[in-house]
Amino acid sequence: MTKSIISTDKAPAAIGTYSQAVKVGTTVYLSGQIPLVPETMQMVSDDFTEQTHQVFKNLVSVCQAAGGEIQNMVKVNIFLTDLSNFATVNEVMSQYFNEPYPARAAIGVAQLPKDSQIEIDGILELPSTN
């Protein structure tokens, strides 16, 4: 098995012992993204909608660094500190994905890194052996 580490400065740097993503064959495993602005490593804002957009922007950057697009994601895991924000997630997600949508899970959690309100990770399947 050959694995490649995916890294880009267009997404937040890892804040722990992990990589932004790991590619094995045509499958890319994306680490969780929180709403940090890559240039400052600070939260984009306290507004949930803005946080959600920033997370998706970060995911887009990592997908592109891996040689794919966010539309190539086949599985998305969404972690929320308040499940009442689920409708907002659906609205924002529809701006980044077209049908067919990826498989998805939404999980309520007590707390996320840096007191983020949302974190998303997932799996990307590249269309070729890039």
mmCIF file of all heavy atoms in Angstrom, residues 87-105:
data_model
loop_
_atom_site.group_PDB
_atom_site.id
_atom_site.type_symbol
_atom_site.label_atom_id
_atom_site.label_comp_id
_atom_site.label_asym_id
_atom_site.label_seq_id
_atom_site.Cartn_x
_atom_site.Cartn_y
_atom_site.Cartn_z
ATOM 1 N N ALA A 87 -30.817 22.374 9.501
ATOM 2 C CA ALA A 87 -31.411 22.963 8.289
ATOM 3 C C ALA A 87 -30.436 23.923 7.616
ATOM 4 O O ALA A 87 -30.341 23.974 6.382
ATOM 5 C CB ALA A 87 -32.722 23.676 8.624
ATOM 6 N N THR A 88 -29.694 24.658 8.411
ATOM 7 C CA THR A 88 -28.685 25.573 7.860
ATOM 8 C C THR A 88 -27.596 24.789 7.155
ATOM 9 O O THR A 88 -27.132 25.183 6.074
ATOM 10 C CB THR A 88 -28.090 26.459 8.970
ATOM 11 O OG1 THR A 88 -29.154 27.178 9.600
ATOM 12 C CG2 THR A 88 -27.061 27.431 8.421
ATOM 13 N N VAL A 89 -27.178 23.676 7.729
ATOM 14 C CA VAL A 89 -26.168 22.827 7.089
ATOM 15 C C VAL A 89 -26.672 22.375 5.719
ATOM 16 O O VAL A 89 -25.944 22.433 4.728
ATOM 17 C CB VAL A 89 -25.806 21.610 7.965
ATOM 18 C CG1 VAL A 89 -24.924 20.626 7.204
ATOM 19 C CG2 VAL A 89 -25.126 22.054 9.237
ATOM 20 N N ASN A 90 -27.914 21.918 5.652
ATOM 21 C CA ASN A 90 -28.482 21.481 4.369
ATOM 22 C C ASN A 90 -28.467 22.610 3.345
ATOM 23 O O ASN A 90 -28.110 22.399 2.182
ATOM 24 C CB ASN A 90 -29.916 20.974 4.549
ATOM 25 C CG ASN A 90 -29.946 19.579 5.111
ATOM 26 O OD1 ASN A 90 -29.037 18.784 4.917
ATOM 27 N ND2 ASN A 90 -31.008 19.274 5.835
ATOM 28 N N GLU A 91 -28.860 23.806 3.768
ATOM 29 C CA GLU A 91 -28.891 24.958 2.863
ATOM 30 C C GLU A 91 -27.497 25.288 2.337
ATOM 31 O O GLU A 91 -27.288 25.464 1.149
ATOM 32 C CB GLU A 91 -29.499 26.155 3.591
ATOM 33 C CG GLU A 91 -28.897 27.469 3.244
ATOM 34 C CD GLU A 91 -29.813 28.343 2.430
ATOM 35 O OE1 GLU A 91 -31.013 28.313 2.674
ATOM 36 O OE2 GLU A 91 -29.279 29.041 1.572
ATOM 37 N N VAL A 92 -26.518 25.341 3.233
ATOM 38 C CA VAL A 92 -25.149 25.672 2.819
ATOM 39 C C VAL A 92 -24.562 24.540 1.981
ATOM 40 O O VAL A 92 -23.943 24.789 0.935
ATOM 41 C CB VAL A 92 -24.257 25.985 4.042
ATOM 42 C CG1 VAL A 92 -22.801 26.169 3.627
ATOM 43 C CG2 VAL A 92 -24.768 27.236 4.768
ATOM 44 N N MET A 93 -24.783 23.306 2.389
ATOM 45 C CA MET A 93 -24.241 22.166 1.647
ATOM 46 C C MET A 93 -24.748 22.144 0.213
ATOM 47 O O MET A 93 -24.004 21.780 -0.706
ATOM 48 C CB MET A 93 -24.594 20.863 2.372
ATOM 49 C CG MET A 93 -23.911 19.651 1.795
ATOM 50 S SD MET A 93 -24.163 18.213 2.875
ATOM 51 C CE MET A 93 -23.559 16.932 1.806
ATOM 52 N N SER A 94 -25.988 22.555 0.001
ATOM 53 C CA SER A 94 -26.563 22.560 -1.355
ATOM 54 C C SER A 94 -25.857 23.555 -2.273
ATOM 55 O O SER A 94 -25.974 23.467 -3.491
ATOM 56 C CB SER A 94 -28.062 22.859 -1.303
ATOM 57 O OG SER A 94 -28.289 24.221 -0.988
ATOM 58 N N GLN A 95 -25.103 24.483 -1.701
ATOM 59 C CA GLN A 95 -24.346 25.445 -2.497
ATOM 60 C C GLN A 95 -22.990 24.891 -2.930
ATOM 61 O O GLN A 95 -22.315 25.484 -3.771
ATOM 62 C CB GLN A 95 -24.167 26.741 -1.711
ATOM 63 C CG GLN A 95 -25.482 27.436 -1.397
ATOM 64 C CD GLN A 95 -25.311 28.605 -0.468
ATOM 65 O OE1 GLN A 95 -24.378 29.389 -0.598
ATOM 66 N NE2 GLN A 95 -26.212 28.727 0.506
ATOM 67 N N TYR A 96 -22.583 23.765 -2.356
ATOM 68 C CA TYR A 96 -21.287 23.165 -2.667
ATOM 69 C C TYR A 96 -21.403 21.827 -3.397
ATOM 70 O O TYR A 96 -20.447 21.389 -4.037
ATOM 71 C CB TYR A 96 -20.457 22.987 -1.389
ATOM 72 C CG TYR A 96 -20.055 24.305 -0.795
ATOM 73 C CD1 TYR A 96 -20.883 24.981 0.113
ATOM 74 C CD2 TYR A 96 -18.858 24.925 -1.162
ATOM 75 C CE1 TYR A 96 -20.521 26.218 0.631
ATOM 76 C CE2 TYR A 96 -18.496 26.162 -0.641
ATOM 77 C CZ TYR A 96 -19.338 26.795 0.252
ATOM 78 O OH TYR A 96 -18.994 28.028 0.764
ATOM 79 N N PHE A 97 -22.555 21.162 -3.281
ATOM 80 C CA PHE A 97 -22.757 19.858 -3.904
ATOM 81 C C PHE A 97 -23.945 19.885 -4.850
ATOM 82 O O PHE A 97 -24.932 20.559 -4.590
ATOM 83 C CB PHE A 97 -23.055 18.788 -2.838
ATOM 84 C CG PHE A 97 -21.865 18.396 -2.014
ATOM 85 C CD1 PHE A 97 -21.600 19.033 -0.813
ATOM 86 C CD2 PHE A 97 -21.025 17.387 -2.426
ATOM 87 C CE1 PHE A 97 -20.510 18.676 -0.043
ATOM 88 C CE2 PHE A 97 -19.924 17.013 -1.662
ATOM 89 C CZ PHE A 97 -19.669 17.653 -0.467
ATOM 90 N N ASN A 98 -23.816 19.109 -5.928
ATOM 91 C CA ASN A 98 -24.929 18.832 -6.830
ATOM 92 C C ASN A 98 -25.282 17.360 -6.670
ATOM 93 O O ASN A 98 -24.470 16.565 -6.189
ATOM 94 C CB ASN A 98 -24.509 19.084 -8.289
ATOM 95 C CG ASN A 98 -24.096 20.524 -8.513
ATOM 96 O OD1 ASN A 98 -24.787 21.441 -8.103
ATOM 97 N ND2 ASN A 98 -22.955 20.711 -9.155
ATOM 98 N N GLU A 99 -26.478 16.988 -7.118
ATOM 99 C CA GLU A 99 -26.839 15.565 -7.099
ATOM 100 C C GLU A 99 -25.957 14.826 -8.086
ATOM 101 O O GLU A 99 -25.589 15.401 -9.102
ATOM 102 C CB GLU A 99 -28.312 15.401 -7.458
ATOM 103 C CG GLU A 99 -29.232 15.916 -6.360
ATOM 104 C CD GLU A 99 -30.680 15.563 -6.623
ATOM 105 O OE1 GLU A 99 -30.952 14.391 -6.952
ATOM 106 O OE2 GLU A 99 -31.513 16.462 -6.505
ATOM 107 N N PRO A 100 -25.574 13.609 -7.830
ATOM 108 C CA PRO A 100 -25.928 12.825 -6.656
ATOM 109 C C PRO A 100 -25.087 13.262 -5.445
ATOM 110 O O PRO A 100 -23.891 13.498 -5.567
ATOM 111 C CB PRO A 100 -25.571 11.395 -7.056
ATOM 112 C CG PRO A 100 -24.470 11.554 -8.048
ATOM 113 C CD PRO A 100 -24.734 12.853 -8.755
ATOM 114 N N TYR A 101 -25.759 13.400 -4.323
ATOM 115 C CA TYR A 101 -25.103 13.831 -3.094
ATOM 116 C C TYR A 101 -24.314 12.680 -2.470
ATOM 117 O O TYR A 101 -24.641 11.519 -2.684
ATOM 118 C CB TYR A 101 -26.133 14.346 -2.091
ATOM 119 C CG TYR A 101 -26.934 15.512 -2.584
ATOM 120 C CD1 TYR A 101 -28.311 15.446 -2.690
ATOM 121 C CD2 TYR A 101 -26.311 16.700 -2.958
ATOM 122 C CE1 TYR A 101 -29.050 16.532 -3.147
ATOM 123 C CE2 TYR A 101 -27.036 17.787 -3.422
ATOM 124 C CZ TYR A 101 -28.405 17.692 -3.519
ATOM 125 O OH TYR A 101 -29.129 18.763 -3.972
ATOM 126 N N PRO A 102 -23.308 13.007 -1.663
ATOM 127 C CA PRO A 102 -22.564 11.941 -0.973
ATOM 128 C C PRO A 102 -23.408 11.327 0.144
ATOM 129 O O PRO A 102 -24.386 11.928 0.602
ATOM 130 C CB PRO A 102 -21.364 12.689 -0.384
ATOM 131 C CG PRO A 102 -21.822 14.096 -0.223
ATOM 132 C CD PRO A 102 -22.796 14.349 -1.344
ATOM 133 N N ALA A 103 -23.015 10.147 0.578
ATOM 134 C CA ALA A 103 -23.600 9.579 1.790
ATOM 135 C C ALA A 103 -23.204 10.506 2.936
ATOM 136 O O ALA A 103 -22.183 11.191 2.868
ATOM 137 C CB ALA A 103 -23.060 8.169 2.022
ATOM 138 N N ARG A 104 -24.038 10.559 3.973
ATOM 139 C CA ARG A 104 -23.765 11.543 5.017
ATOM 140 C C ARG A 104 -24.277 11.074 6.369
ATOM 141 O O ARG A 104 -25.267 10.356 6.463
ATOM 142 C CB ARG A 104 -24.465 12.850 4.629
ATOM 143 C CG ARG A 104 -24.254 13.968 5.606
ATOM 144 C CD ARG A 104 -24.917 15.230 5.141
ATOM 145 N NE ARG A 104 -26.348 15.179 5.425
ATOM 146 C CZ ARG A 104 -27.181 16.159 5.159
ATOM 147 N NH1 ARG A 104 -26.759 17.266 4.572
ATOM 148 N NH2 ARG A 104 -28.451 16.055 5.443
ATOM 149 N N ALA A 105 -23.590 11.535 7.401
ATOM 150 C CA ALA A 105 -24.058 11.360 8.774
ATOM 151 C C ALA A 105 -23.965 12.718 9.451
ATOM 152 O O ALA A 105 -23.077 13.516 9.138
ATOM 153 C CB ALA A 105 -23.192 10.349 9.518
#
